[in-house]
Amino acid sequence: MTTAPILEIRNLTQHFGGLTAISDFNIKLKNNQMAGLIGPNGAGKTTIFNLVSGFYQPSQGEIFINGKPTAGLKPHKVTALGVARTFQNIRLWNQMTVLDNIKVAQHGKLGYGFFDALMRTKVYRETEDRINHEAYELLKVFELDKFADDFPTNLPYGLQRKLEIVRALSEKPSLLLLDEPAAGLNTVDMHELIRLIRWIHDSFDVTIWIIEHHMDVMMELCDELKVIDFGHTIAEGPALEVQKNPAVITAYLGDENI
Amino acid sequence: MKSLLQRYSVQLILITLGGLITYLAYEEAIGLYTLSVLMFMGVNIILSTSLNLVNGNMGEFSCGHAGFMCVGAYVSSILGVLLFAKDKVFGAPLINPDLALYFFPLIILTGGAAAAITGLLVALPSYKTRGDYLAIITIAANYIIISLIENLGVIGGSRGFMGMKTVVNTMNDTFDLPWMVIWVFIFTVGCVWALRRYNSSTFGKGVSAICQDEVAAEIMSVNTNKIKTITFMLSSGLAGIAGGLFAYIIGYVNPGSFNILKSTEVLVMVYLGGMASLSGAVLSAILFTILLELLRPLQIIKWVVIPLLLIILMQFRPEGIMGNRELSDLFPKLKRFYRFK
């Protein structure tokens, strides 16, 4: 039996007015793969993540998650198909405790409604108990449980990044999109992050797709890299090969003949 | 012992308070004026807590709360008069007036339901717009509702609608108790209780997730449109209930009493209490009602003093009295003595 790829993107093109942000992008990610997406600023990397997570509707092309098309779905429905993501600039709910940040992320699979919440029915009590327990256990796994009742803003920056990744993982995704997880981190935190991502990859059954500027992070983590520039795919393949690709060097460092 | 106290203290206080007010009203130990101020206090608590849900917890800016109140007031008034009172337009009562007592909460809830459905119509544009634009839409909705009723001659148009006193009197005839006081008390407690439960459930916390970061909420599996719709409907439904009670307390409604000035009053209460603080909204509704009565001798100048107070408030304490915290956050020791769920 052949299983459908976790993520398949076919001929993805995105226009914003007259600007073509993404043109003819293709990718297939297998189960438990760790892939990277790099490119200079404004290359369209985050746009691709926004398209995959359902935030934009593509102008052309198709996106399949676990074999199911995402066309026309709202982001929370795409999340239900098994996609979770983090953001380039951390987007935690800062006036909610760390524990609540995880609990609210379970909204899609609550299984109770408005009247259950008012009447505190059996379904409500069981669900809340279960969510509370699971969220706490997850925090414990990532050693964040001692901050459970703190507000995210009181956490150091590195831990806020970590919490955002944990919140995404709490959705039990089959595809985890990390949008520049190392942005703003110092070298120590960065090595911590690399260990964390590798550990997540080994312990959870999840495909990880990363956008990152730090080449060393990408070299350490990813099996496969894709390089885009101005929306066009300019190189793809194993990390070491891509690094030596002249087109990539030109895109990043400029043309030496100028 | 302590846990027993913690578990039942709120119920005990509420029952004592409700019983005391009812008893005093029954014995006519407190005058009709004080009684009506107490009842308006209840109505104002419902109004400010329910608007606080949208403006405070959800971070939207709704300015037309009186519009929903108006819908609730008219629907429950008309229904009550139609069913239980002899009226020039609607004729003889449809049901035996002795039953009014039992149907009264249903009548008020029907008014609330009608207001909730109106709230649904306002929720729809909120999917796309936020902030200032939504404020304009809600003001427009408020005006539409008032103009509609002003032009409906059957229910009195701008002259207003009355007959609710008959219904209240039949209730008191059936069983001699100050029924309006009791119903206002029950509905006020019920409203705060419902909002408390909604806000503390994971389901309801989706509301503050939307307030803090709507994009993150939508990506993290919160169905933002659904939550917004439910929250708007809950808020406007409660405003409708407040409107219904208001109409039966006074015994007379006219569209003029639900204009933008009334909406502003509710807004003032919300900002006075502190955004997203339920106990703040309750507290400010009580303070505001007392303040309005104290300033009554100033007559129209009252409306110079109150906005001035708002300006002073914004200057010196822009976050309101409680400033998005609850009473139990300010006095953590209180938690040992009560549990409100």
Side-chain angles (χ1 to χ4, degrees):
Chain A
M1 192 183 103
T2 53
T3 49
I6 295 292
L7 171 71
E8 185 176 2
I9 297 180
R10 286 191 209 142
N11 312 103
L12 186 71
T13 300
Q14 177 71 358
H15 305 289
F16 291 121
L19 178 83
T20 306
I22 306 293
S23 80
D24 202 22
F25 184 84
N26 293 281
I27 199 168
K28 253 186 204 176
L29 295 181
K30 294 189 297 285
N31 193 16
N32 215 12
Q33 198 179 349
M34 181 123 69
L37 180 63
I38 59 174
N41 283 331
K45 305 182 295 292
T46 302
T47 307
I48 291 179
F49 272 23
N50 284 342
L51 284 161
V52 173
S53 53
F55 209 67
Y56 299 143
Q57 289 298 323
S59 313
Q60 277 158 45
E62 292 162 302
I63 302 168
F64 298 90
I65 313 257
N66 289 316
K68 294 190 190 76
T70 68
L73 293 185
K74 297 266 295 164
H76 70 270
K77 292 274 181 203
V78 177
T79 308
L81 290 180
V83 184
R85 68 171 288 186
T86 64
F87 298 89
Q88 201 169 336
N89 40 350
I90 302 175
R91 302 189 91 143
L92 291 163
W93 298 302
N94 285 325
Q95 279 114 289
M96 247 186 247
T97 62
V98 167
L99 188 67
D100 277 346
N101 263 276
I102 307 285
K103 279 164 76 177
V104 173
Q106 311 310 308
H107 229 267
K109 357 182 225 277
L110 274 184
Y112 72 81
F114 172 70
F115 289 102
D116 293 300
L118 285 200
M119 301 322 290
R120 299 276 146 115
T121 54
K122 195 157 173 270
V123 191
Y124 170 85
R125 278 176 279 132
E126 282 170 2
T127 314
E128 290 282 325
D129 284 348
R130 180 174 52 79
I131 288 175
N132 203 43
H133 179 74
E134 283 177 3
Y136 204 80
E137 287 301 311
L138 191 70
L139 286 178
K140 212 178 256 176
V141 168
F142 288 91
E143 292 167 350
L144 288 168
D145 52 322
K146 56 179 173 292
F147 303 111
D149 293 326
D150 287 329
F151 292 100
T153 30
N154 298 342
L155 264 55
Y157 192 76
L159 286 185
Q160 290 188 27
R161 282 265 173 219
K162 189 174 172 182
L163 176 60
E164 207 192 17
I165 296 173
V166 175
R167 184 179 70 173
L169 263 184
S170 76
E171 304 276 357
K172 300 198 182 75
S174 46
L175 173 66
L176 178 62
L177 307 175
L178 301 178
D179 194 345
E180 297 205 24
L185 295 185
N186 59 32
T187 330
V188 181
D189 284 347
M190 201 137 75
H191 286 294
E192 186 74 21
L193 181 86
I194 292 171
R195 264 210 303 282
L196 177 74
I197 294 175
R198 186 169 289 143
W199 184 78
I200 290 170
H201 184 242
D202 293 343
S203 339
F204 293 80
D205 187 20
V206 63
T207 303
I208 301 179
W209 199 17
I210 311 171
I211 291 178
E212 192 47 77
H213 271 304
H214 297 85
M215 265 316 230
D216 37 347
V217 175
M218 291 306 232
M219 291 298 139
E220 282 214 42
L221 285 174
C222 302
D223 332 316
E224 287 264 320
L225 277 185
K226 227 175 194 348
V227 189
I228 57 170
D229 190 20
F230 294 115
H232 293 272
T233 310
I234 56 172
E236 56 193 302
L240 279 173
E241 279 177 32
V242 166
Q243 201 181 20
K244 296 193 191 100
N245 190 314
V248 176
I249 295 168
T250 315
Y252 262 93
L253 300 176
D255 201 335
E256 56 185 323
N257 295 334
I258 293 173
Chain B
M1 182 60 204
K2 188 174 262 179
S3 71
L4 210 67
L5 176 77
Q6 188 192 31
R7 183 169 296 181
Y8 294 111
S9 62
V10 173
Q11 283 93 325
L12 207 69
I13 290 170
L14 286 178
I15 290 169
T16 320
L17 188 68
L20 191 71
I21 296 174
T22 313
Y23 176 74
L24 290 177
Y26 179 70
E27 292 289 328
E28 291 175 6
I30 39 179
L32 280 179
Y33 169 72
T34 322
L35 210 57
S36 68
V37 171
L38 282 177
M39 285 195 280
F40 284 133
M41 216 177 257
V43 171
N44 281 344
I45 289 174
I46 302 180
L47 285 175
S48 76
T49 49
S50 60
L51 185 66
N52 189 31
L53 180 67
V54 169
N55 284 26
N57 294 70
M58 197 153 72
E60 302 277 9
F61 196 72
S62 167
C63 307
H65 218 48
F68 304 120
M69 196 186 164
C70 184
V71 173
Y74 266 88
V75 169
S76 50
S77 301
I78 293 166
L79 197 64
V81 172
L82 183 69
L83 293 178
F84 300 110
K86 197 163 168 284
D87 188 74
K88 282 197 291 291
V89 185
F90 297 122
L94 292 177
I95 306 178
N96 183 359
D98 290 347
L99 294 172
L101 179 55
Y102 310 103
F103 277 92
F104 186 75
L106 283 180
I107 290 172
I108 295 291
L109 286 176
T110 312
I117 291 165
T118 321
L120 176 67
L121 300 179
V122 178
L124 297 176
S126 80
Y127 297 165
K128 294 261 179 235
T129 52
R130 292 198 71 161
D132 307 349
Y133 302 101
L134 194 72
I136 293 165
I137 289 169
T138 49
I139 291 174
N142 195 343
Y143 274 108
I144 290 171
I145 291 164
I146 292 176
S147 312
L148 212 62
I149 291 172
E150 273 175 351
N151 289 300
L152 275 176
V154 196
I155 50 172
S158 56
R159 277 173 292 118
F161 182 81
M162 57 173 95
M164 286 78 83
K165 269 283 183 274
T166 333
V167 181
V168 177
N169 289 339
T170 41
M171 281 202 288
N172 294 350
D173 290 344
T174 316
F175 203 89
D176 189 19
L177 273 177
W179 280 109
M180 273 324 290
V181 180
I182 297 173
W183 287 127
V184 170
F185 188 77
I186 291 175
F187 274 108
T188 308
V189 172
C191 161
V192 177
W193 171 83
L195 285 172
R196 164 79 189 162
R197 286 196 157 186
Y198 184 61
N199 290 342
S200 62
S201 67
T202 303
F203 186 75
K205 277 174 189 160
V207 174
S208 48
I210 291 173
C211 172
Q212 291 166 43
D213 194 327
E214 192 173 342
V215 171
E218 178 70 33
I219 293 282
M220 288 297 144
S221 81
V222 178
N223 187 345
T224 51
N225 284 357
K226 184 178 150 197
I227 293 291
K228 279 183 184 176
T229 313
I230 290 175
T231 309
F232 258 111
M233 287 180 74
L234 178 61
S235 167
S236 48
L238 289 172
I241 287 175
L245 293 170
F246 178 80
Y248 278 89
I249 294 170
I250 300 188
Y252 164 78
V253 279
N254 70 328
S257 38
F258 304 106
N259 59 11
I260 201 79
L261 202 63
K262 187 79 194 169
S263 296
T264 317
E265 251 180 60
V266 187
L267 273 178
V268 172
M269 281 191 268
V270 171
Y271 285 93
L272 184 71
M275 305 299 271
S277 164
L278 189 58
S279 39
V282 174
L283 204 67
S284 70
I286 295 173
L287 282 178
F288 188 76
T289 317
I290 296 172
L291 194 71
L292 270 191
E293 292 309 317
L294 289 182
L295 295 177
R296 192 173 283 279
L298 292 180
Q299 289 174 344
I300 200 74
I301 301 174
K302 183 168 81 173
W303 287 109
V304 177
V305 179
I306 287 170
L308 202 64
L309 279 176
L310 199 62
I311 293 172
I312 295 170
L313 184 79
M314 288 297 125
Q315 286 289 321
F316 294 102
R317 197 169 165 81
E319 71 271 28
I321 298 173
M322 304 291 283
N324 80 37
R325 280 166 305 180
E326 297 295 341
L327 208 57
S328 54
D329 299 331
L330 290 183
F331 306 103
K333 279 185 182 165
L334 272 179
K335 268 189 196 151
R336 273 190 267 158
F337 300 110
Y338 80 93
R339 198 174 63 171
F340 186 50
K341 273 184 179 171

